[in-house]
């Protein structure tokens, strides 16, 4: 029928609601290891001229990066500086696309701005959020993580993916003022993500199924990317 309007008085006490979260089926060309690499890269990677470089002073991050690169089977160069200019030990990984020809295309997917490809919206949700807290995020509660970024695209992406993965996300913007603004610091976006097992106030879209008797041919259209 035609759309209509109702007043607040008319809906008080009724069970209708607007869903705030749902579950999008996963179907991506990216593997779990690649998804986790993207999360690591947007946080601590530097990409230029087909080369990824990662530099860490924390041994935990060095170990995790090494494990991910080995999982992916990537060729990489490794340098160890026991006493850098800041007096800390520094670990540097360099991955050349030319040394990894089979992986060069997906390694370039984020580009120098290090932005999550939109296709990752349909990639493994659990792997993405598990890895997120290991880099630019942290577990701030038993059912929540906070992710921080200065890239609005990535903040929008994390919020969208959360609501497509039976999670929820609110975004708070910290606008730079005073000395920080004078130094040219970018605004920061804080994504507060509620994980699976949402609060009782969460409203998820319910999938309903209906069987219909049918006899005849069934066709399944496809596209190279999986999108229509």
């Amino acid at each position: 029928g035609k759309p209509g309007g109702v007043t607040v008085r008319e809906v008080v006490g009724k069970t209708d609601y607007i869903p705030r979260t749902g579950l999008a089926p996963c179907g991506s060309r990216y593997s779990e290891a690649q998804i986790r690499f993207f999360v690591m890269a947007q946080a601590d990677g530097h990409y230029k001229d087909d080369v990824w470089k990662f530099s860490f002073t924390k041994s935990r991050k060095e170990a995790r990066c090494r494990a991910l690169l080995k999982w992916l089977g990537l060729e990489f160069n490794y340098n160890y500086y026991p006493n850098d200019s800041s007096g800390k030990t520094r670990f540097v990984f360099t991955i050349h696309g030319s040394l990894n020809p089979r992986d060069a295309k997906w390694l370039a997917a984020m580009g120098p701005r290090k932005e999550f490809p939109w296709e990752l919206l349909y990639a493994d949700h659990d792997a993405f959020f598990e890895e997120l807290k290991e880099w630019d995020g942290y577990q701030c509660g038993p059912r929540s993580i906070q992710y921080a970024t200065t890239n609005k695209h990535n903040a929008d992406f994390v919020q969208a993916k959360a609501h497509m993965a039976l999670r929820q996300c609110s975004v708070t913007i910290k606008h730079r003022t005073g000395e920080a603004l004078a130094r040219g610091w970018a605004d920061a976006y804080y994504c507060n993500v509620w994980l699976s097992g949402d609060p009782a106030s969460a409203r998820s879209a319910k999938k309903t199924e209906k069987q219909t008797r049918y006899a005849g041919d069934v066709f399944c259209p496809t596209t190279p990317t999986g999108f229509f």
Side-chain angles (χ1 to χ4, degrees):
K2 295 182 179 180
V6 294
T7 65
V8 173
R9 185 185 299 275
E10 292 175 300
V11 298
V12 170
K14 296 187 176 180
T15 58
D16 294 338
Y17 63 86
I18 299 175
R20 293 201 295 269
T21 184
L23 181 62
C26 295
S28 169
R29 59 184 150 174
Y30 297 119
S31 68
E32 179 183 344
Q34 290 170 335
I35 294 166
R36 293 178 183 273
F37 177 92
F38 285 138
V39 175
M40 175 181 71
Q42 61 80 40
D44 288 308
H46 176 74
Y47 183 78
K48 184 178 180 181
D49 298 332
D50 203 30
V51 176
W52 276 106
K53 180 172 286 188
F54 297 88
S55 179
F56 309 109
T57 57
K58 295 180 179 179
S59 57
R60 176 187 66 82
K61 289 189 173 184
E62 186 269 349
R64 193 164 190 86
C65 179
R66 181 187 296 276
L68 281 176
L69 298 182
K70 288 187 174 181
W71 185 3
L72 288 160
L74 294 173
E75 295 287 339
F76 61 89
N77 296 324
Y78 175 76
N79 289 287
Y80 171 83
Y81 303 97
N83 189 16
D84 70 359
S85 57
S86 64
K88 298 180 180 179
T89 299
R90 183 165 297 277
F91 315 95
V92 180
F93 296 85
T94 307
I95 302 99
H96 293 266
S98 59
L99 298 179
N100 298 275
R102 292 185 303 175
D103 300 279
K105 186 174 182 179
W106 74 262
L107 284 171
M110 298 185 82
R113 289 180 56 82
K114 303 190 302 180
E115 294 182 338
F116 290 122
W118 285 111
E119 187 183 343
L120 285 184
L121 286 176
Y122 299 93
D124 189 324
H125 303 310
D126 292 337
F128 180 87
F129 286 103
E130 284 173 7
E131 199 65 31
L132 197 65
K133 71 178 185 293
E134 301 294 339
W135 300 97
D136 273 348
Y138 74 99
Q139 187 99 30
C140 50
R143 296 190 305 179
S144 62
I145 62 174
Q146 185 178 82
Y147 161 77
T149 180
T150 57
N151 187 310
K152 185 178 184 301
H153 168 96
N154 286 344
D156 289 342
F157 177 93
V158 168
Q159 185 174 44
K161 187 168 180 64
H163 288 271
M164 294 170 63
L166 287 180
R167 294 161 171 86
Q168 296 184 81
C169 177
S170 65
V171 179
T172 302
I173 306 174
K174 182 178 181 180
H175 296 286
R176 303 299 185 184
T177 59
E179 184 178 349
L181 182 63
R183 291 184 177 183
W185 291 6
D187 291 342
Y189 300 85
Y190 293 89
C191 300
N192 300 294
V193 182
W194 286 268
L195 305 174
S196 299
D198 295 329
S201 60
R203 296 290 191 178
S204 61
K206 302 296 191 298
K207 180 180 179 181
T208 58
E209 296 182 356
K210 180 180 179 181
Q211 292 185 345
T212 303
R213 299 181 68 85
Y214 172 79
D217 295 332
V218 177
F219 299 92
C220 181
T222 61
T223 64
T225 62
F227 291 91
F228 287 93

